[in-house]
Amino acid sequence: MNNVSRRKFITSGLAVAAGASGIGVAAKIAQHHGLIPPDAGVLYGPGETLTYAAQRILTRHSMAREFSRNQISPNPFANPVDPLGDEFKRLQAGNFADWRLIVDGMAARPRTLSLAEIRSFPTSTHITMIGCEEGWTYIGEWTGVPLSYILDRVGALPQARYVVYRSIQPDWWESIDMADALHPQTLVAHRMNGNDLPVPFGGPLRLRVPRQLGYKSVKYINHLTLTDNLKPFGKGRGGAASDAGYAWYAGI
Amino acid sequence: MDATLPIADRAADQLSSSAKPVSSAPALRRHSALVRATHWLTTIAFLALLLSGGEIVLSHPRFYWGETGNVNMHPWLNIHLPSSRGAVPTGYGYVLPDQNGWSRYLHFQAAWLAVGTGLLYGLFGVFSGHFRRNLFPAASDLSTKELGNSLTRHLRFERPGKEEAWSYNVLQRLSYLLVIFVLFPLMIWTGLAMSMGFTAAFPLSVRLLGGQQTARSLHFLVTILLVLFLLIHVLMVFVAGFRNRMRAMISGRAVPAAE
């Protein structure tokens, strides 16, 4: 081994060690600031973590674009869903009077809310775009209770880091971090374009997360859970879509 | 051996002197190590982006102008391909398997690689003088006559002369400038303008383009331009001498005359 290659060997060894410990420290800091997504461990984890961290740093408080009334799509597209189950049909026959939204997990006062109660809560209305990961979009006017209002009512504990939300339909659930859960445009929506939310669009209750793609806006929600850990849910990647190989964070 | 060369280049020099020479002419240094590394990283990123992007298009092979577009609306372009979604009426009797999970993951991971590589290359290009020396054409080369001559030589598929062994000709410079400073930035811009999260923070990014679906359409159209560039680029590598040009982009060295 000559001098040059020994020097090169030592310096590259030091560089690798410094790089590895640098990444280690950066990962600790990122974890502390909630910049690591639950699917960071997959093959595409590095790209996913960069996207999530960059967007959280740049967009934590920014508002999804809102549109004027004349931009509302006259003919919005209702993405088809799996055939609705018997439980859904039973509730639908009763005009959803018996629809319940369970709110549990890391809350001081976990509750089960009826649809009538939810409809009596203060509402917020936003004309926003729903965009599918497939590439299509439409604009609609969504009215609902800000998720932050419901989390406040149940006394969400400060340790909570995610809200897991589930559809009455089997194997349909997602989760969002508190930046999106407490965001003023994130709604438990029950109206669309001035009418009760139609069933093909997720009625009676749909979670609207306008800063993320449509697959995070789960239809027919009946269960919210506050948690600080997504590991116990499904395969531990934070949603049915991410368990099936999609990215958990869908802000891009 | 040139003692001022970087170690990697000296090693390449030793290798090439022990191997059978490609030509009796002395090998000259054509590409710096950074240009070579970023060239191949960009190649990997671009192919990954093209593959995954093409796959994503299959889930909705239609394009629209403005903010909104879906199967209830009229597209300006309907690519008659089978789709990976049953909701798109394609006329084909089957639906392709859903591959968007890994496609989207790969697309954004490759986009980060492309952006990182681009930043590195951009900084190097400015501070090393690579842009000034190798990419910006000389004013004298920009006359109609010179451009015409260069175009004629290209259209006749003439092999480059000796003076082009270690530098780019004027058309090459102009097309590289277009790709590096116009098309690549447009791809990143139109890509980000489709992101719900990004446009929340930077709404002008999509408003200036004319809408989310316009951004998607432009992203697709610029892809076609980049694929055209890639095809011509590879064709020109063959015209100029595949072995010598590949050798130049891998080891950094080229022989002055064509093989």
Side-chain angles (χ1 to χ4, degrees):
Chain A
M1 199 184 243
N2 63 31
N3 270 338
V4 171
S5 63
R6 186 179 302 125
R7 195 186 324 139
K8 195 185 170 194
F9 180 77
I10 292 168
T11 42
S12 35
L14 283 174
V16 167
S21 55
I23 288 171
V25 171
K28 275 231 168 88
I29 295 170
Q31 185 68 47
H32 177 76
H33 290 280
L35 300 175
I36 307 278
D39 51 351
V42 303
L43 176 62
Y44 300 110
E48 197 46 33
T49 306
L50 280 169
T51 301
Y52 178 58
Q55 288 215 355
R56 272 296 162 264
I57 290 166
L58 289 170
T59 74
R60 186 172 294 269
H61 300 293
S62 47
M63 301 288 279
R65 288 194 301 147
E66 297 203 17
F67 299 86
S68 63
R69 189 146 273 139
N70 61 24
Q71 285 176 292
I72 294 174
S73 299
N75 202 2
F77 174 66
N79 208 20
V81 296
D82 289 340
L84 295 162
D86 292 339
E87 175 70 356
F88 185 92
K89 285 179 182 154
R90 187 182 65 77
L91 292 163
Q92 187 178 21
N95 210 11
F96 301 119
D98 293 329
W99 191 275
R100 295 291 180 270
L101 179 67
I102 302 166
V103 191
D104 59 15
M106 301 182 89
R109 303 174 293 278
R111 282 190 61 182
T112 297
L113 301 162
S114 72
L115 191 58
E117 263 179 295
I118 290 169
R119 283 176 173 160
S120 73
F121 288 158
T123 61
S124 183
T125 295
H126 305 279
I127 301 174
T128 53
M129 174 180 282
I130 190 156
C132 182
E133 48 83 24
E134 296 159 20
W136 53 267
T137 52
Y138 69 81
I139 292 169
E141 183 190 62
W142 306 87
T143 300
V145 185
L147 178 59
S148 63
Y149 178 85
I150 292 176
L151 298 183
D152 201 41
R153 292 268 305 205
V154 299
L157 300 179
Q159 305 94 291
R161 294 183 55 203
Y162 305 99
V163 174
V164 175
Y165 43 103
R166 274 165 279 199
S167 170
I168 196 168
Q169 292 280 89
D171 301 321
W172 198 1
W173 62 284
E174 287 296 328
S175 62
I176 45 176
D177 63 10
M178 295 314 279
D180 266 324
L182 299 176
H183 190 270
Q185 288 169 315
T186 300
L187 305 178
V188 175
H190 52 77
R191 293 175 75 75
M192 178 182 166
N193 297 339
N195 300 305
D196 281 351
L197 184 58
V199 169
F201 291 95
L205 288 182
R206 178 178 198 177
L207 199 79
R208 265 297 281 145
V209 189
R211 297 195 305 174
Q212 295 201 41
L213 291 169
Y215 69 82
K216 301 299 278 195
S217 289
V218 171
K219 295 170 177 175
Y220 323 120
I221 54 164
N222 68 347
H223 195 162
L224 307 176
T225 304
L226 284 145
T227 182
D228 64 347
N229 179 16
L230 293 169
K231 283 275 179 293
F233 299 88
K235 293 183 193 165
R237 289 186 195 161
S242 25
D243 278 355
Y246 275 80
W248 170 76
Y249 179 67
I252 190 160
Chain B
M1 195 200 292
D2 183 354
T4 62
L5 281 178
I7 289 162
D9 286 348
R10 259 184 274 163
D13 199 25
Q14 280 165 350
L15 269 179
S16 61
S17 58
S18 59
K20 201 182 165 206
V22 174
S23 152
S24 53
L28 288 161
R29 189 170 162 168
R30 181 175 170 102
H31 301 298
S32 64
L34 195 125
V35 164
R36 284 178 277 137
T38 53
H39 173 269
W40 293 115
L41 285 173
T42 306
T43 309
I44 293 167
F46 182 77
L47 293 178
L49 284 160
L50 188 64
L51 173 80
S52 53
E55 199 293 317
I56 294 165
V57 165
L58 287 180
S59 62
H60 197 89
R62 297 175 173 204
F63 291 90
Y64 313 83
W65 298 122
E67 290 286 4
T68 54
N70 54 62
V71 291
N72 295 337
M73 293 176 71
H74 187 70
W76 68 267
L77 177 64
N78 183 356
I79 306 174
H80 293 283
L81 286 173
S83 173
S84 58
R85 297 296 186 279
V88 186
T90 57
Y92 292 85
Y94 54 91
V95 174
L96 296 171
D98 172 14
Q99 308 273 327
N100 275 19
W102 68 261
S103 294
R104 290 175 45 81
Y105 265 134
L106 176 60
H107 204 71
F108 303 131
Q109 183 138 301
W112 277 108
L113 176 62
V115 168
T117 306
L119 287 177
L120 188 65
Y121 175 77
L123 287 173
F124 169 81
V126 169
F127 291 107
S128 72
H130 168 65
F131 289 157
R132 188 167 31 79
R133 225 176 23 248
N134 300 324
L135 285 188
F136 299 145
S140 57
D141 279 346
L142 288 175
S143 68
T144 328
K145 186 162 165 279
E146 280 303 317
L147 286 171
N149 284 344
S150 185
L151 187 63
T152 314
R153 283 198 298 276
H154 277 88
L155 291 176
R156 285 185 184 149
F157 293 106
E158 276 178 29
R159 287 198 161 197
K162 284 193 178 194
E163 73 286 355
E164 282 181 33
W166 46 87
S167 187
Y168 302 139
N169 66 61
V170 62
L171 282 192
Q172 212 175 353
R173 284 170 188 244
L174 291 177
S175 40
Y176 292 175
L177 285 176
L178 177 74
V179 167
I180 292 163
F181 292 106
V182 180
L183 300 186
F184 279 170
L186 259 180
M187 281 315 271
I188 295 160
W189 179 8
T190 53
L192 287 173
M194 283 187 265
S195 152
M196 301 282 161
F198 185 83
T199 57
F202 306 101
L204 264 185
S205 65
V206 59
R207 226 178 283 149
L208 284 174
L209 292 174
Q212 204 263 5
Q213 289 297 328
T214 301
R216 182 169 173 266
S217 290
L218 292 175
H219 201 68
F220 178 73
L221 290 173
V222 180
T223 305
I224 291 176
L225 293 180
L226 284 173
V227 169
L228 269 177
F229 167 79
L230 176 69
L231 293 177
I232 296 171
H233 180 60
V234 172
L235 177 69
M236 288 299 143
V237 168
F238 276 98
V239 170
F242 182 77
R243 283 184 66 189
N244 196 27
R245 283 291 192 263
M246 285 301 272
R247 185 184 172 209
M249 198 41 99
I250 293 167
S251 74
R253 288 163 180 271
V255 286
E259 282 164 65

